[in-house]
Amino acid sequence: MNTSRWQRRGFWLLGLLAALVVAALVAGTLLLLRERDRARQEAETTRAVSQFVTSLFEAADPGVADGQAGITAIELLDKGRQRLSRDLQTQPATRRALLAVLADVYERVARARESADLFGEAAKDEPDPLRRAQLLARQSLSLANEGDSKAAEAPAREALALRRQHAPGDDMLLGDVENRLAVALTGQMKLDEAAALLESALARFRSKGEEGRSSVASALHNLARVRARQERLDEAEALFRESVQVGSASRQRGPRHNQTLVTREQLAILLRDRGRLGEAEAEMMQALQARVAVWGPHSAHVAMVLNELGVLQQDAGRAAEAVASHQKALDIRRQQTGSRSFDTAISLHNLGKAQQAVGDVKSAEVSLRESLSVRRQLAGGTSSAAVQRAQVSLSRLLLALQRHDEAAALLNDVAQARASLAPSHVDRATVSLMQAEVALARQRPTDARGLIEPLAAGLARLPAAQRAEFERLQGLLAWSDGRRDDAMARLEAAWQQERDRQGSEHPSLLAPGLEWHQRLHAAGRRDEAAALVGQLAAAARRHVPASPWRREWERRAGRPAGAAPA
């Protein structure tokens, strides 16, 4: 047997998975097997679990199956899952315990969909109502982590009903499942019900003193997310800060606990969204340094922070840095969770958007198409919210490249999926505005007007970017009708809103700036047009040399292709 090869390529897997399984056994098996003959049943189940897990490593030992030394931890888990689909059918309690163990380990290695499936399978035939509630609650959380909030709602509601019936006086159990149901509802924008559940959970947890402190931090975090979505931003910031404080002081957490750092990262995102980019980056960098110190530079936790740091950098106009951060996150996630995981799809999506921002359109299209492909595969062919987001981002790139027919096909799919939303709902409005742009490109102003007019009543509630796009499209419609003065007033207002929102040096400002330059020139305002070309130099400087928008800027500025903007 090639011992050194096993040590180099396989031994770390054994240590990793063994540690995870031991943790899962301690937290899971002893919880799931409290029956009348508890001692005997636990001994038998623990022995069966040990034998089962040990057998998974036989294929990783070159002395047993030559050539398998490079097997990954994920492959070992998948092998165990396949075994369980056919084994232990006559030992249901042991099989349920093993399903829960594997589900827990899948969750720890960021394979939320597999984790949810196994928790659901374990819950299906569980006779004990409280154990079933625990498994359902875990399934709900895994589904929420996968981004499928709608699917997460049903198991959480069932778990809450079971606990209300069978453990009505246990505040920790009831608060826990109220918290998890609220997470599922928040993802569906059912915010009032989510807030009520979280307020109830908080009261239960606070009544438990130190025992409930960690859970208090969790509920504060989730309530902060609700308040942020309700645009109650001062409350959201205060709740995030309180969650960090409580979690850091908790014996169960501490300042470097994963959940404490997640809250710190969410606080940074909120600060970013409030335009306080310096504070946001400081919080994010502290979280990144802590994660590197605790988990190492190539962990999934580090990838998560790099992803958010990249978004922050792009918002700050430093898109080249964002590309680098997203690429690092993607490399880690491919290594940790594989090329077809939800986390990998997120990194591909954000990398594609950053690549588009610097004008690297070929790379952007590759990244966005791969992200969409992964999301479609994970959604099983359904039009999930994650699939729709990827379709919208790819459509936005295609529209920028004037590939209107390709964009239209994607947007039609999303519009059908979001048809039940109110016209002024942000997700439906996004698609309506993009479809209106397609209609204008096809010389169908009546269709475009029909798409955007329903948005007028709720315009004030839409984000600034959508309000600017609404104004721009109204200007283009006025231009097509021959109302040039009205058109120029609206187009100028839209341009000013974009510049105020993004800043004069943001690379994403170059494309709308070139469009406004074209209108100024067509309207005979040549001096303003010439001045605008100079003002766009800072944005052009942040594009890659091959960017179609930078090349167009160079042409209008009378510069040689590829020359660095002054």
Side-chain angles (χ1 to χ4, degrees):
M1 181 173 71
N2 189 337
T3 305
S4 62
R5 183 173 66 166
W6 165 245
Q7 289 174 338
R8 288 195 308 271
R9 305 166 85 181
F11 185 72
W12 70 272
L13 291 172
L14 178 60
L16 168 65
L17 193 53
L20 291 172
V21 170
V22 168
L25 285 171
V26 171
T29 303
L30 295 179
L31 174 66
L32 292 171
L33 297 174
R34 291 174 182 166
E35 300 179 357
R36 186 181 304 171
D37 52 348
R38 175 178 173 179
R40 178 182 61 80
Q41 184 66 48
E42 285 184 359
E44 291 177 359
T45 301
T46 301
R47 184 164 52 253
V49 169
S50 177
Q51 291 172 351
F52 183 87
V53 171
T54 300
S55 71
L56 292 181
F57 291 94
E58 291 179 358
D61 188 335
V64 177
D66 190 36
Q68 295 294 315
I71 193 169
T72 67
I74 296 298
E75 290 169 332
L76 290 174
L77 287 171
D78 291 343
K79 180 174 179 282
R81 186 181 183 185
Q82 292 168 6
R83 288 263 309 274
L84 274 181
S85 68
R86 63 178 187 271
D87 294 352
L88 300 174
Q89 298 296 330
T90 61
Q91 302 175 57
T94 300
R95 186 170 182 275
R96 286 193 298 270
L98 280 165
L99 286 168
V101 166
L102 288 183
D104 188 74
V105 180
Y106 268 121
E107 186 175 69
R108 292 165 187 257
V109 296
R111 293 284 288 267
R113 175 60 63 177
E114 290 89 341
S115 174
D117 290 345
L118 291 175
F119 277 128
E121 189 175 350
K124 184 170 56 178
D125 299 319
E126 174 56 62
D128 185 282
L130 289 181
R131 286 199 298 274
R132 177 175 170 79
Q134 173 69 10
L135 292 166
L136 289 167
R138 294 292 300 276
Q139 181 190 23
S140 175
L141 184 61
S142 293
L143 288 167
N145 289 339
E146 179 70 3
D148 196 347
S149 299
K150 186 174 182 179
E153 181 178 350
R157 286 197 185 279
E158 185 178 351
L160 181 57
L162 287 169
R163 286 183 175 173
R164 282 174 172 168
Q165 180 180 358
H166 297 282
D170 194 323
D171 283 327
M172 292 301 293
L173 283 179
L174 289 169
D176 171 71
V177 76
E178 287 174 336
N179 195 13
R180 296 189 189 198
L181 176 55
V183 170
L185 296 174
T186 302
Q188 300 176 72
M189 297 299 288
K190 298 178 180 179
L191 301 179
D192 290 341
E193 185 181 0
L197 285 165
L198 289 166
E199 294 283 8
S200 173
L202 265 174
R204 295 181 191 278
F205 296 148
R206 290 188 195 277
S207 71
K208 295 298 180 180
E210 179 59 35
E211 178 190 357
R213 188 182 294 270
S214 177
S215 296
V216 167
S218 175
L220 286 167
H221 171 100
N222 291 331
L223 184 56
R225 293 178 64 241
V226 172
R227 296 306 185 212
R229 293 193 177 200
Q230 292 174 323
E231 298 294 324
R232 295 162 62 172
L233 301 184
D234 289 340
E235 291 178 59
E237 182 177 340
L239 288 164
F240 276 136
R241 292 190 184 281
E242 185 181 358
S243 178
V244 170
Q245 182 181 17
V246 172
S248 297
S250 167
R251 291 197 299 266
Q252 298 160 295
R253 291 196 179 191
R256 287 191 170 184
H257 187 277
N258 178 52
Q259 292 303 318
T260 304
L261 294 176
V262 166
T263 304
R264 170 156 269 165
E265 290 148 16
Q266 289 295 310
L267 172 60
I269 292 168
L270 178 68
L271 293 170
R272 177 196 72 199
D273 292 343
R274 304 192 78 179
R276 291 152 61 184
L277 300 183
E279 294 177 67
E281 187 165 5
E283 288 284 351
M284 197 69 76
M285 290 303 299
Q286 287 186 44
L288 179 61
Q289 291 165 7
R291 289 199 180 278
V292 170
V294 175
W295 285 284
H298 304 296
S299 73
H301 297 287
V302 169
M304 179 176 62
V305 185
L306 285 169
N307 177 69
E308 295 299 343
L309 180 62
V311 174
L312 195 157
Q313 289 165 333
Q314 184 170 338
D315 284 353
R318 290 152 40 206
E321 294 177 54
V323 169
S325 294
H326 287 309
Q327 186 64 62
K328 288 179 184 176
L330 176 61
D331 292 342
I332 294 170
R333 284 173 162 172
R334 284 196 195 277
Q335 180 183 13
Q336 294 288 335
T337 65
S339 293
R340 311 299 289 180
S341 72
F342 186 69
D343 283 342
T344 297
I346 290 174
S347 283
L348 283 164
H349 180 256
N350 290 335
L351 174 61
K353 290 168 65 177
Q355 289 166 330
Q356 180 179 346
V358 297
D360 186 2
V361 294
K362 290 183 179 179
S363 298
E365 184 171 353
V366 171
S367 298
L368 292 172
R369 286 194 183 279
E370 186 179 352
S371 177
L372 176 57
S373 173
V374 173
R375 292 178 190 221
R376 279 175 167 161
Q377 179 182 337
L378 293 174
T382 63
S383 183
S384 69
V387 168
Q388 293 164 34
R389 284 192 292 272
Q391 289 175 308
V392 167
S393 292
L394 178 56
S395 298
R396 188 170 282 115
L397 172 64
L398 295 171
L399 285 176
L401 298 175
Q402 298 185 9
R403 290 159 58 182
H404 299 109
D405 290 344
E406 294 174 73
L410 291 167
L411 291 169
N412 288 341
D413 288 345
V414 181
Q416 290 177 10
R418 298 179 177 178
S420 62
L421 300 175
S424 59
H425 187 287
V426 62
D427 290 336
R428 184 171 173 183
T430 296
V431 180
S432 297
L433 290 166
M434 296 173 74
Q435 286 183 307
E437 181 160 353
V438 172
L440 280 170
R442 292 173 168 175
Q443 304 298 313
R444 297 175 182 170
T446 302
D447 292 348
R449 191 171 286 107
L451 285 161
I452 66 173
E453 282 181 350
L455 309 183
L459 188 64
R461 295 191 297 273
L462 293 177
Q466 292 187 328
R467 295 197 300 272
E469 181 62 8
F470 178 89
E471 194 71 19
R472 170 181 167 269
L473 290 171
Q474 290 281 27
L476 294 177
L477 281 168
W479 188 280
S480 71
D481 292 341
R483 296 180 285 114
R484 296 298 174 90
D485 290 344
D486 184 27
M488 290 300 291
R490 286 183 175 275
L491 290 170
E492 184 167 14
W495 163 246
Q496 293 287 357
Q497 289 173 38
E498 275 297 291
R499 191 167 60 180
D500 292 344
R501 184 176 69 86
Q502 299 195 77
S504 60
E505 298 186 3
H506 198 291
S508 295
L509 200 67
L510 186 56
L514 290 171
E515 182 183 65
W516 174 232
H517 173 269
Q518 182 179 356
R519 297 296 173 182
L520 286 171
H521 201 274
R525 294 161 61 175
R526 305 294 175 84
D527 291 343
E528 292 176 74
L532 180 59
V533 170
Q535 294 165 13
L536 292 173
R541 189 184 305 121
R542 301 191 178 197
H543 277 241
V544 299
S547 164
W549 299 291
R550 175 167 169 170
R551 287 180 173 179
E552 179 59 22
W553 176 86
E554 289 167 346
R555 187 187 69 78
R556 298 187 192 185
R559 294 175 180 270

PDB file of all heavy atoms in Angstrom, residues 146-164:
ATOM      1  N   GLU A 146     -30.463  27.080   1.402  1.00  0.00           N
ATOM      2  CA  GLU A 146     -30.350  26.801  -0.026  1.00  0.00           C
ATOM      3  C   GLU A 146     -31.000  27.899  -0.864  1.00  0.00           C
ATOM      4  O   GLU A 146     -30.818  27.971  -2.077  1.00  0.00           O
ATOM      5  CB  GLU A 146     -31.026  25.452  -0.329  1.00  0.00           C
ATOM      6  CG  GLU A 146     -31.028  25.013  -1.779  1.00  0.00           C
ATOM      7  CD  GLU A 146     -29.661  24.612  -2.304  1.00  0.00           C
ATOM      8  OE1 GLU A 146     -28.692  24.617  -1.524  1.00  0.00           O
ATOM      9  OE2 GLU A 146     -29.545  24.303  -3.490  1.00  0.00           O
ATOM     10  N   GLY A 147     -31.745  28.788  -0.209  1.00  0.00           N
ATOM     11  CA  GLY A 147     -32.418  29.863  -0.919  1.00  0.00           C
ATOM     12  C   GLY A 147     -33.845  29.545  -1.327  1.00  0.00           C
ATOM     13  O   GLY A 147     -34.474  30.311  -2.050  1.00  0.00           O
ATOM     14  N   ASP A 148     -34.367  28.403  -0.839  1.00  0.00           N
ATOM     15  CA  ASP A 148     -35.725  27.992  -1.204  1.00  0.00           C
ATOM     16  C   ASP A 148     -36.662  28.257  -0.031  1.00  0.00           C
ATOM     17  O   ASP A 148     -37.115  27.344   0.669  1.00  0.00           O
ATOM     18  CB  ASP A 148     -35.735  26.514  -1.594  1.00  0.00           C
ATOM     19  CG  ASP A 148     -37.009  26.112  -2.341  1.00  0.00           C
ATOM     20  OD1 ASP A 148     -37.962  26.911  -2.333  1.00  0.00           O
ATOM     21  OD2 ASP A 148     -37.031  25.009  -2.915  1.00  0.00           O
ATOM     22  N   SER A 149     -36.974  29.519   0.191  1.00  0.00           N
ATOM     23  CA  SER A 149     -37.786  29.917   1.339  1.00  0.00           C
ATOM     24  C   SER A 149     -39.198  29.360   1.265  1.00  0.00           C
ATOM     25  O   SER A 149     -39.795  29.024   2.294  1.00  0.00           O
ATOM     26  CB  SER A 149     -37.831  31.446   1.445  1.00  0.00           C
ATOM     27  OG  SER A 149     -36.551  31.975   1.631  1.00  0.00           O
ATOM     28  N   LYS A 150     -39.739  29.264   0.061  1.00  0.00           N
ATOM     29  CA  LYS A 150     -41.100  28.762  -0.076  1.00  0.00           C
ATOM     30  C   LYS A 150     -41.194  27.322   0.392  1.00  0.00           C
ATOM     31  O   LYS A 150     -42.120  26.942   1.128  1.00  0.00           O
ATOM     32  CB  LYS A 150     -41.552  28.885  -1.534  1.00  0.00           C
ATOM     33  CG  LYS A 150     -43.009  28.518  -1.760  1.00  0.00           C
ATOM     34  CD  LYS A 150     -43.436  28.799  -3.192  1.00  0.00           C
ATOM     35  CE  LYS A 150     -44.910  28.479  -3.385  1.00  0.00           C
ATOM     36  NZ  LYS A 150     -45.349  28.771  -4.778  1.00  0.00           N
ATOM     37  N   ALA A 151     -40.229  26.486  -0.024  1.00  0.00           N
ATOM     38  CA  ALA A 151     -40.231  25.084   0.408  1.00  0.00           C
ATOM     39  C   ALA A 151     -39.933  24.967   1.897  1.00  0.00           C
ATOM     40  O   ALA A 151     -40.359  24.005   2.552  1.00  0.00           O
ATOM     41  CB  ALA A 151     -39.207  24.289  -0.399  1.00  0.00           C
ATOM     42  N   ALA A 152     -39.203  25.926   2.469  1.00  0.00           N
ATOM     43  CA  ALA A 152     -38.835  25.870   3.884  1.00  0.00           C
ATOM     44  C   ALA A 152     -40.027  26.138   4.802  1.00  0.00           C
ATOM     45  O   ALA A 152     -39.993  25.755   5.984  1.00  0.00           O
ATOM     46  CB  ALA A 152     -37.732  26.887   4.171  1.00  0.00           C
ATOM     47  N   GLU A 153     -41.067  26.773   4.299  1.00  0.00           N
ATOM     48  CA  GLU A 153     -42.182  27.179   5.159  1.00  0.00           C
ATOM     49  C   GLU A 153     -42.951  25.978   5.709  1.00  0.00           C
ATOM     50  O   GLU A 153     -43.259  25.921   6.910  1.00  0.00           O
ATOM     51  CB  GLU A 153     -43.133  28.097   4.400  1.00  0.00           C
ATOM     52  CG  GLU A 153     -44.304  28.572   5.242  1.00  0.00           C
ATOM     53  CD  GLU A 153     -45.226  29.525   4.501  1.00  0.00           C
ATOM     54  OE1 GLU A 153     -44.875  29.974   3.390  1.00  0.00           O
ATOM     55  OE2 GLU A 153     -46.311  29.825   5.039  1.00  0.00           O
ATOM     56  N   ALA A 154     -43.288  24.998   4.847  1.00  0.00           N
ATOM     57  CA  ALA A 154     -44.159  23.893   5.271  1.00  0.00           C
ATOM     58  C   ALA A 154     -43.550  23.070   6.400  1.00  0.00           C
ATOM     59  O   ALA A 154     -44.227  22.820   7.410  1.00  0.00           O
ATOM     60  CB  ALA A 154     -44.505  23.007   4.075  1.00  0.00           C
ATOM     61  N   PRO A 155     -42.289  22.608   6.307  1.00  0.00           N
ATOM     62  CA  PRO A 155     -41.740  21.839   7.443  1.00  0.00           C
ATOM     63  C   PRO A 155     -41.640  22.663   8.717  1.00  0.00           C
ATOM     64  O   PRO A 155     -41.827  22.129   9.816  1.00  0.00           O
ATOM     65  CB  PRO A 155     -40.368  21.383   6.943  1.00  0.00           C
ATOM     66  CG  PRO A 155     -40.050  22.224   5.772  1.00  0.00           C
ATOM     67  CD  PRO A 155     -41.354  22.610   5.167  1.00  0.00           C
ATOM     68  N   ALA A 156     -41.376  23.952   8.608  1.00  0.00           N
ATOM     69  CA  ALA A 156     -41.305  24.792   9.808  1.00  0.00           C
ATOM     70  C   ALA A 156     -42.675  24.926  10.463  1.00  0.00           C
ATOM     71  O   ALA A 156     -42.795  24.873  11.700  1.00  0.00           O
ATOM     72  CB  ALA A 156     -40.736  26.163   9.456  1.00  0.00           C
ATOM     73  N   ARG A 157     -43.714  25.102   9.663  1.00  0.00           N
ATOM     74  CA  ARG A 157     -45.065  25.198  10.236  1.00  0.00           C
ATOM     75  C   ARG A 157     -45.460  23.887  10.901  1.00  0.00           C
ATOM     76  O   ARG A 157     -46.087  23.884  11.976  1.00  0.00           O
ATOM     77  CB  ARG A 157     -46.071  25.567   9.146  1.00  0.00           C
ATOM     78  CG  ARG A 157     -45.983  27.017   8.703  1.00  0.00           C
ATOM     79  CD  ARG A 157     -47.226  27.454   7.960  1.00  0.00           C
ATOM     80  NE  ARG A 157     -47.114  28.802   7.438  1.00  0.00           N
ATOM     81  CZ  ARG A 157     -47.306  29.908   8.155  1.00  0.00           C
ATOM     82  NH1 ARG A 157     -47.617  29.802   9.444  1.00  0.00           N
ATOM     83  NH2 ARG A 157     -47.186  31.102   7.605  1.00  0.00           N
ATOM     84  N   GLU A 158     -45.135  22.764  10.275  1.00  0.00           N
ATOM     85  CA  GLU A 158     -45.473  21.475  10.881  1.00  0.00           C
ATOM     86  C   GLU A 158     -44.709  21.287  12.195  1.00  0.00           C
ATOM     87  O   GLU A 158     -45.270  20.801  13.187  1.00  0.00           O
ATOM     88  CB  GLU A 158     -45.160  20.335   9.909  1.00  0.00           C
ATOM     89  CG  GLU A 158     -45.605  18.979  10.446  1.00  0.00           C
ATOM     90  CD  GLU A 158     -45.335  17.838   9.475  1.00  0.00           C
ATOM     91  OE1 GLU A 158     -44.970  18.100   8.316  1.00  0.00           O
ATOM     92  OE2 GLU A 158     -45.491  16.668   9.905  1.00  0.00           O
ATOM     93  N   ALA A 159     -43.434  21.670  12.196  1.00  0.00           N
ATOM     94  CA  ALA A 159     -42.637  21.554  13.419  1.00  0.00           C
ATOM     95  C   ALA A 159     -43.218  22.408  14.536  1.00  0.00           C
ATOM     96  O   ALA A 159     -43.290  21.977  15.707  1.00  0.00           O
ATOM     97  CB  ALA A 159     -41.186  21.951  13.139  1.00  0.00           C
ATOM     98  N   LEU A 160     -43.659  23.615  14.203  1.00  0.00           N
ATOM     99  CA  LEU A 160     -44.247  24.497  15.219  1.00  0.00           C
ATOM    100  C   LEU A 160     -45.538  23.903  15.763  1.00  0.00           C
ATOM    101  O   LEU A 160     -45.779  23.918  16.984  1.00  0.00           O
ATOM    102  CB  LEU A 160     -44.499  25.883  14.616  1.00  0.00           C
ATOM    103  CG  LEU A 160     -45.090  26.928  15.566  1.00  0.00           C
ATOM    104  CD1 LEU A 160     -44.222  27.126  16.789  1.00  0.00           C
ATOM    105  CD2 LEU A 160     -45.290  28.260  14.829  1.00  0.00           C
ATOM    106  N   ALA A 161     -46.369  23.352  14.895  1.00  0.00           N
ATOM    107  CA  ALA A 161     -47.624  22.744  15.349  1.00  0.00           C
ATOM    108  C   ALA A 161     -47.352  21.561  16.282  1.00  0.00           C
ATOM    109  O   ALA A 161     -48.021  21.395  17.314  1.00  0.00           O
ATOM    110  CB  ALA A 161     -48.439  22.282  14.145  1.00  0.00           C
ATOM    111  N   LEU A 162     -46.355  20.744  15.943  1.00  0.00           N
ATOM    112  CA  LEU A 162     -46.012  19.593  16.788  1.00  0.00           C
ATOM    113  C   LEU A 162     -45.512  20.042  18.155  1.00  0.00           C
ATOM    114  O   LEU A 162     -45.881  19.465  19.186  1.00  0.00           O
ATOM    115  CB  LEU A 162     -44.957  18.735  16.088  1.00  0.00           C
ATOM    116  CG  LEU A 162     -45.439  17.906  14.894  1.00  0.00           C
ATOM    117  CD1 LEU A 162     -44.256  17.326  14.124  1.00  0.00           C
ATOM    118  CD2 LEU A 162     -46.360  16.776  15.376  1.00  0.00           C
ATOM    119  N   ARG A 163     -44.684  21.065  18.188  1.00  0.00           N
ATOM    120  CA  ARG A 163     -44.143  21.520  19.470  1.00  0.00           C
ATOM    121  C   ARG A 163     -45.214  22.218  20.308  1.00  0.00           C
ATOM    122  O   ARG A 163     -45.213  22.090  21.545  1.00  0.00           O
ATOM    123  CB  ARG A 163     -42.939  22.435  19.237  1.00  0.00           C
ATOM    124  CG  ARG A 163     -41.712  21.640  18.803  1.00  0.00           C
ATOM    125  CD  ARG A 163     -40.484  22.482  18.634  1.00  0.00           C
ATOM    126  NE  ARG A 163     -39.326  21.640  18.345  1.00  0.00           N
ATOM    127  CZ  ARG A 163     -38.131  22.107  18.010  1.00  0.00           C
ATOM    128  NH1 ARG A 163     -37.933  23.411  17.926  1.00  0.00           N
ATOM    129  NH2 ARG A 163     -37.144  21.276  17.774  1.00  0.00           N
ATOM    130  N   ARG A 164     -46.094  22.950  19.672  1.00  0.00           N
ATOM    131  CA  ARG A 164     -47.184  23.564  20.436  1.00  0.00           C
ATOM    132  C   ARG A 164     -48.082  22.499  21.056  1.00  0.00           C
ATOM    133  O   ARG A 164     -48.602  22.679  22.155  1.00  0.00           O
ATOM    134  CB  ARG A 164     -47.996  24.476  19.518  1.00  0.00           C
ATOM    135  CG  ARG A 164     -47.338  25.820  19.251  1.00  0.00           C
ATOM    136  CD  ARG A 164     -48.114  26.633  18.217  1.00  0.00           C
ATOM    137  NE  ARG A 164     -47.581  27.989  18.116  1.00  0.00           N
ATOM    138  CZ  ARG A 164     -47.893  28.847  17.146  1.00  0.00           C
ATOM    139  NH1 ARG A 164     -48.755  28.462  16.195  1.00  0.00           N
ATOM    140  NH2 ARG A 164     -47.375  30.050  17.123  1.00  0.00           N
TER     141      ARG A 164
END
